[in-house]
Amino acid sequence: GAGVSQTPSNKVTEKGKYVELRCDPISGHTALYWYRQSLGQGPEFLIYFQGTGAADDSGLPNDRFFAVRPEGSVSTLKIQRTERGDSAVYLCASSDQPGGADTQYFGPGTRLTVL
Amino acid sequence: AQSVTQLGSHVSVSEGALVLLRCNYSSSVPPYLFWYVQYPNQGLQLLLKYTSAATLVKGINGFEAEFKKSETSFHLTKPSAHMSDAAEYFCAVSSPAGGNQFYFGTGTSLTVIP
């Protein structure tokens, strides 16, 4: 079956611009996660959705970052007034067993480059 | 607070040799522990996980890991390395006490020498 997909695979933007990154989770998975992976680092938690609601957004670095999941499936991560420090690979994962022991299925990521 | 430390950002082994990737965790409660693998241009894939059942966990592709509470470790091993094992490996921890935050280590890049 289809895995988690993310679009675009690469995004180059200029400092100060607005970007949207999309995640299509595995069909039927109720839990969805966003992570950010900087060069040489492991994934860093940003936000977790259970259904349509953001159950935990404590990882969002500041108010320029926002994510939505209006119908409990596709999610969009939105970054306003991008900065060069936002350059990273943004990963999305989904799970059908929300909780600390769940297996998360990751997408290939969106590589964001802010010039 | 929870965290994991992966000792050795780069590990090289000969084909057929033992693979040992180290992970130590810090957690105020008994944790859940995971190993993920990331092949080039692919998403992270779960190798195995410890969720408080058997301390020796067997995963895919011949990998296994042993949870050692006394050493706060969850090292990943494979008896005989294959060329196809070359990838980035991440250890991660989460808490059974609630919440859904996963904390990943910085990763270990495994090179297999023919």
Side-chain angles (χ1 to χ4, degrees):
Chain A
V4 177
S5 62
Q6 293 185 245
T7 54
S9 56
N10 282 283
K11 176 70 177 178
V12 180
T13 191
E14 294 180 345
K15 180 176 178 296
K17 299 292 188 181
Y18 168 83
V19 296
E20 291 189 350
L21 311 179
R22 176 187 169 105
C23 172
D24 279 271
I26 293 172
S27 178
H29 280 192
T30 58
L32 186 145
Y33 305 78
W34 283 99
Y35 294 85
R36 178 169 67 177
Q37 186 175 17
S38 300
L39 192 63
Q41 301 295 316
E44 174 191 10
F45 171 82
L46 295 177
I47 187 170
Y48 156 66
F49 286 90
Q50 179 55 39
T52 60
D56 184 350
D57 65 357
S58 62
L60 294 177
N62 52 59
D63 61 6
R64 295 187 297 106
F65 288 75
F66 188 71
V68 295
R69 194 185 185 199
E71 298 179 356
S73 178
V74 171
S75 176
T76 305
L77 178 65
K78 307 180 180 190
I79 309 174
Q80 299 177 321
R81 305 183 303 281
T82 51
E83 299 177 355
R84 292 193 179 89
D86 299 334
S87 296
V89 177
Y90 289 81
L91 300 172
C92 175
S94 70
S95 167
D96 64 352
Q97 296 176 315
D102 63 344
T103 296
Q104 298 185 23
Y105 297 85
F106 283 80
T110 294
R111 182 176 298 279
L112 175 66
T113 302
V114 182
L115 301 177
Chain B
Q2 297 172 299
S3 65
V4 290
T5 301
Q6 291 184 241
L7 296 176
S9 59
H10 293 88
V11 171
S12 294
V13 299
S14 298
E15 190 175 15
L18 171 71
V19 176
L20 170 61
L21 305 182
R22 300 179 185 274
C23 173
N24 288 88
Y25 69 89
S26 174
S27 177
S28 57
V29 298
Y32 295 141
L33 292 158
F34 307 78
W35 276 100
Y36 279 84
V37 60
Q38 187 174 31
Y39 298 103
N41 300 314
Q42 295 187 27
L44 279 79
Q45 178 183 1
L46 180 72
L47 276 177
L48 48 80
K49 63 180 177 181
Y50 166 76
T51 58
S52 73
T55 56
L56 181 62
V57 181
K58 295 186 183 298
I60 62 171
N61 300 338
F63 284 94
E64 65 181 36
E66 185 171 8
F67 172 70
K68 291 187 177 181
K69 184 178 179 181
S70 61
E71 299 177 8
T72 61
S73 69
F74 191 58
H75 301 331
L76 181 71
T77 61
K78 181 174 180 177
S80 177
H82 294 168
M83 295 299 295
S84 60
D85 295 327
E88 189 85 15
Y89 292 81
F90 292 94
C91 182
V93 62
S94 71
S95 171
N100 287 79
Q101 289 208 23
F102 280 60
Y103 298 90
F104 284 82
T106 52
T108 297
S109 178
L110 176 66
T111 299
V112 182
I113 303 167

